[in-house]
Structure formats: C-alpha cells, structure tokens
Amino acid sequence: MPRPLHPAHHLALALLVQSVGQRLSVLAHETFITSAMAWSCHGRTNADMVDALQRHHIIKSEAVARAMKAVDRGDFAPRDAYMDAPQPIGFSVTISAPHMHAYALEILLPVLRPGARVLDVGSGSGYLCACFHKLVGNEGIVVGIDHVPALVQASIANMRKHHGGALDDGSIRLVCGDGRQGWPEQAPYDAIHVGAAAWPLPAPLLAQLRPGGWIVAPVGPDGGDQYLQLIKKAADGAITTKNMMGVRYVPLTDVQDQLGE
C-alpha cells in the first residue's frame, strides 16, 4: 500500500499540477491570461462570439462590440473562426484569440477616435486592422505591417472580401516590412498595437508615437515573464508603462527566424 503523502508533499504536488496546467495552456500565439473568463468566449457565429465576449465582460463598450460584429472573423481565420483560441493561418503564424483582440481594442479605445492613425505591427491576417478601421473611420488611417510578403498578400485578399473599399481609399494600408522599425511614412500614430513579444520595445515605435498616443504590446523575454503593457507618451514626450496582464507570446523577430530559414 502506498504511504500517505506528507502535507508538504501535497502542497508541492498541487503547485506542480498548477504549473503544468499553466504550461499546457500555452497556445501558438499567446496564453495564460490573468482573466479566468478568457478562453471560453466561443460562438457558432461571429455575433455569438462577440456576445460571449460581452457576457464575460471582456468587451465592455458598445463601440468595440459594434466594431467586432462588423468584422467577420470568418473572413480572416480559415478554420474554427469563432473559437476563443488562436488559429493557424500559415507561415508559422496564428490569428490571436478573440479575447486578446477584444482586450487590445478596449485598452486602446480612448485614442481610437475618428480620424486617428493606427499602426498594427505583425498584422498577420489583417483582422485587427479591419476592427481598428471601424473605430477610426475612413477619415483615419490604419497601417498593418508584416514581414512575410505572402502573408501580406493573403491579408489583402481577406480584406477585400468585405472591406475592399478601405483599401481602395487608403484608409487601410497593408504593407510588407520589418515592423520593429515601424512605418514612418504615416507617422506619428495615435495608437500602436504589437502582436508579438518585444524585449525591449523597439525605439522606432516609441519615436513614431504621437505625444498623447498609446501603445499596447506584449513585453518580455522569450520563455520569461511577459506582460501586456500599456505604454503612454505624454505631451512632453515622457513615457509611462503599466502592466495590464500576464501573457505568453512568440517573440517579435525577423522573418528568417519566424520561418525557420
């Protein structure tokens, strides 16, 4: 008969199980969100998914709900589009879980005013760019940058399914380049979103942020502690940061590392 565990061993075993559970929650793009309500906002349709995000209080504003309902995730994710989990889109990339997009939109909402300029670094499928566009309108400019040329072309094809007019009038611009260098042609930006973990945050992104602008980015070393940070630039250029939640993202890297070349 096995001997009963000492109470200290019970505690150690519980901590081990907790740690393993957290590691198993790692999905391709981001994981271990501090909110227990995340990862469960599934739907049978795009509207169902957004309703679930509202019920779980991840989406708090009607503006973000309207934007996400106006952009069908099924246009940008080839399978399981309405599952609250990252989904592969090719080129060693995923489209982030819907709750992560919702968090980013809610955090940045105060600076996503009509006419604002937005930069999405690592724009991938183009989904979040379409959501940003619904908030800043045709008078704003949303730039999505990714360093895989074929992925940029795929994102343009996704966008043309229902949002081609924004490409035609230039209010959405999907470009190929090293997002760590930003996209100075349309700077300064009111809002910058980064879709992979930076360590540290690239200086060009801070330089291209308008005074009064905000950045949302996962920050931290690959395999180490990472946090989704809100970074603000004051009118005098002073930078402040706030950790919003713990996350696990793939690193912000170059195209060769991403594709394993």
Side-chain angles (χ1 to χ4, degrees):
M1 176 181 295
R3 289 184 293 178
L5 289 174
H6 186 276
H9 295 162
H10 276 292
L11 176 59
L13 180 60
L15 291 173
L16 176 62
V17 169
Q18 181 183 37
S19 176
V20 171
Q22 290 172 356
R23 293 297 180 187
L24 288 177
S25 71
V26 175
L27 294 172
H29 202 58
E30 75 284 317
T31 188
F32 190 34
I33 308 307
T34 54
S35 170
M37 297 175 290
W39 304 107
S40 59
C41 300
H42 314 300
R44 297 179 64 183
T45 66
N46 192 70
D48 286 347
M49 179 192 75
V50 177
D51 288 343
L53 290 164
Q54 287 185 285
R55 285 196 305 272
H56 287 88
H57 306 292
I58 295 170
I59 293 179
K60 297 180 172 65
S61 66
E62 284 301 317
V64 169
R66 285 194 301 270
M68 291 185 71
K69 283 187 175 180
V71 180
D72 192 331
R73 196 167 184 262
D75 287 343
F76 300 86
R79 67 184 191 193
D80 298 324
Y82 312 120
M83 291 289 292
D84 192 16
Q87 301 298 336
I89 57 173
F91 312 100
S92 302
V93 176
T94 62
I95 180 174
S96 290
H99 69 261
M100 286 308 304
H101 285 145
Y103 278 130
L105 291 165
E106 284 287 350
I107 293 169
L108 289 171
L109 185 60
V111 293
L112 296 175
R113 297 177 292 271
R117 295 194 173 207
V118 183
L119 176 65
D120 186 19
V121 175
S123 50
S125 70
Y127 170 78
L128 194 56
C129 289
C131 292
F132 282 137
H133 181 261
K134 293 300 178 184
L135 292 165
V136 305
N138 290 336
E139 60 269 43
I141 294 177
V142 178
V143 178
I145 184 168
D146 209 288
H147 54 200
V148 181
L151 183 55
V152 175
Q153 291 305 309
S155 70
I156 291 172
N158 292 339
M159 198 72 69
R160 288 212 172 273
K161 293 173 185 175
H162 290 103
H163 309 281
L167 292 174
D168 295 336
D169 67 20
S171 54
I172 294 179
R173 308 179 187 203
L174 300 174
V175 300
C176 188
D178 185 347
R180 295 171 298 182
Q181 302 305 312
W183 191 253
E185 285 85 341
Q186 301 302 324
Y189 297 99
D190 300 281
I192 298 176
H193 170 264
V194 182
W199 185 248
L201 190 73
L205 299 183
L206 289 170
Q208 292 171 33
L209 186 65
R210 186 189 304 277
W214 293 9
I215 297 175
V216 164
V219 178
D222 186 23
D225 291 339
Q226 296 177 0
Y227 296 93
L228 190 70
Q229 286 191 348
L230 172 59
I231 300 137
K232 297 182 180 181
K233 179 185 279 190
D236 63 0
I239 300 296
T240 59
T241 64
K242 179 181 179 181
N243 291 341
M244 306 300 291
M245 63 187 74
V247 293
R248 182 75 66 206
Y249 273 70
V250 298
L252 185 65
T253 185
D254 58 37
V255 66
Q256 289 78 17
D257 282 347
Q258 180 176 316
L259 298 179
E261 297 177 351

